[in-house]
Amino acid sequence: MGGRQVLAARRLLAETLDGTLPERDHVAAAYAVVDELGSPDRLLELIVELACGEGDPEAAARLSYRHVLGFDKLLLVDAGPQHMLRAHVWHAGVGGAGREDIHNHRSTLASHVVRGRLWTELYEEVPEGRDEERAGARGGGIAAARFEESLAEGSADWLLAPAGPARLRLTHLGQYAAGSTYALPAHTLHRAWCDTEGPTVTLFLETGSQRRRHTDVFTPGGSHAGAVLKVPMDVPGYLESLSSLADLLRSP
């Protein structure tokens, strides 16, 4: 079920990301997909179609919500268990908690900046027992508390189980302006944030047939709630958010 743009997006996901590619090729294919679907004109057509009720708005609304950091996660295409295509709308100055916790994902991710600007950091964990590396990391790295994140049974809430202390080292800092795309393997530790005065919009894809059972979350502050609730949108709120996003994409 879906209109022309919804069906075209599903077809592109299915034909480009078949689940048999080696990891490097899968990451490259994910990059190509969001780079193509994230072109402003094509994404606007998809958003307008969905805002008119195409697809499955009830199911999409249940998987769309306002993130604790102040950005909206709007599900656009749920292509079975392998592909989830979302729009992230970062609202400048709206009740966010700053930068994300450092984390990885269950599957390959790719992100295309449609409007605004996004910063990303990549990290690596300093292995235990390598004293010289840990000593070096103390100068340029950060101490963090590690958690294993999983999904609660019967809901979409995040569960966070403490997994001990860790030390991380920053390996990359990047700024991505409108038109930029990046893609990362599932295990890559990273975090992102928006520093623009106006809204930033990204097209975000998670894809892969081999989904990890949990993700790793590192909190430099050293503490975290045991569970983080997700409050899903209702259908009118979801459609209204899509309409507002369409208006934003039309504006200069």
Side-chain angles (χ1 to χ4, degrees), residues 50-152:
L50 291 168
C52 292
E54 293 290 352
D56 188 346
E58 290 188 3
R62 288 195 298 269
L63 294 173
S64 300
Y65 50 92
R66 168 63 61 86
H67 195 280
V68 293
L69 293 175
F71 63 89
D72 292 336
K73 294 173 71 77
L74 304 175
L75 180 63
L76 306 180
V77 177
D78 181 359
Q82 294 189 26
H83 315 302
M84 298 281 281
L85 184 70
R86 300 178 184 270
H88 289 182
V89 185
W90 303 70
H91 302 281
V94 179
R99 303 180 189 186
E100 298 176 313
D101 288 333
I102 299 164
H103 63 284
N104 50 30
H105 283 253
R106 285 180 173 77
S107 55
T108 295
L109 67 99
S111 181
H112 178 83
V113 182
V114 181
R115 180 187 179 96
R117 181 176 63 243
L118 205 65
W119 287 88
T120 65
E121 294 172 337
L122 304 184
Y123 287 86
E124 63 182 8
E125 189 173 3
V126 179
E128 292 185 15
R130 298 180 66 172
D131 295 337
E132 69 282 359
E133 290 196 35
R134 294 183 67 84
R138 289 188 183 95
I142 58 173
R146 178 175 183 157
F147 297 83
E148 288 190 355
E149 176 268 327
S150 58
L151 297 177

Side-chain angles (χ1 to χ4, degrees), residues 7-233:
L7 293 175
R10 289 182 179 276
R11 184 167 57 250
L12 180 63
L13 289 166
E15 292 176 352
T16 309
L17 300 160
D18 63 6
T20 63
L21 295 171
E23 181 181 64
R24 176 178 293 184
D25 294 340
H26 192 82
V27 172
Y31 180 107
V33 166
V34 295
D35 197 56
E36 179 175 343
L37 293 178
S39 63
D41 291 343
R42 181 162 184 178
L43 181 60
L44 177 58
E45 291 182 6
L46 176 61
I47 297 298
V48 168
E49 200 170 87
L50 291 168
C52 292
E54 293 290 352
D56 188 346
E58 290 188 3
R62 288 195 298 269
L63 294 173
S64 300
Y65 50 92
R66 168 63 61 86
H67 195 280
V68 293
L69 293 175
F71 63 89
D72 292 336
K73 294 173 71 77
L74 304 175
L75 180 63
L76 306 180
V77 177
D78 181 359
Q82 294 189 26
H83 315 302
M84 298 281 281
L85 184 70
R86 300 178 184 270
H88 289 182
V89 185
W90 303 70
H91 302 281
V94 179
R99 303 180 189 186
E100 298 176 313
D101 288 333
I102 299 164
H103 63 284
N104 50 30
H105 283 253
R106 285 180 173 77
S107 55
T108 295
L109 67 99
S111 181
H112 178 83
V113 182
V114 181
R115 180 187 179 96
R117 181 176 63 243
L118 205 65
W119 287 88
T120 65
E121 294 172 337
L122 304 184
Y123 287 86
E124 63 182 8
E125 189 173 3
V126 179
E128 292 185 15
R130 298 180 66 172
D131 295 337
E132 69 282 359
E133 290 196 35
R134 294 183 67 84
R138 289 188 183 95
I142 58 173
R146 178 175 183 157
F147 297 83
E148 288 190 355
E149 176 268 327
S150 58
L151 297 177
E153 291 188 14
S155 78
D157 298 341
W158 293 292
L159 298 179
L160 292 159
R167 186 167 290 276
L168 305 177
R169 178 169 45 226
L170 177 68
T171 61
H172 174 76
L173 172 64
Q175 183 189 79
Y176 296 89
S180 301
T181 301
Y182 64 89
L184 301 171
H187 56 79
T188 306
L189 295 175
H190 65 282
R191 64 177 169 183
W193 74 95
C194 171
D195 66 347
T196 54
E197 293 182 1
T200 286
V201 178
T202 60
L203 183 65
F204 187 85
L205 171 67
E206 283 191 280
T207 173
S209 57
Q210 301 294 325
R211 293 178 64 84
R212 302 169 63 224
R213 295 178 62 88
H214 72 271
T215 63
D216 304 296
V217 176
F218 297 84
T219 304
S223 63
H224 219 305
V228 178
L229 303 180
K230 293 181 184 177
V231 180
M233 294 182 176

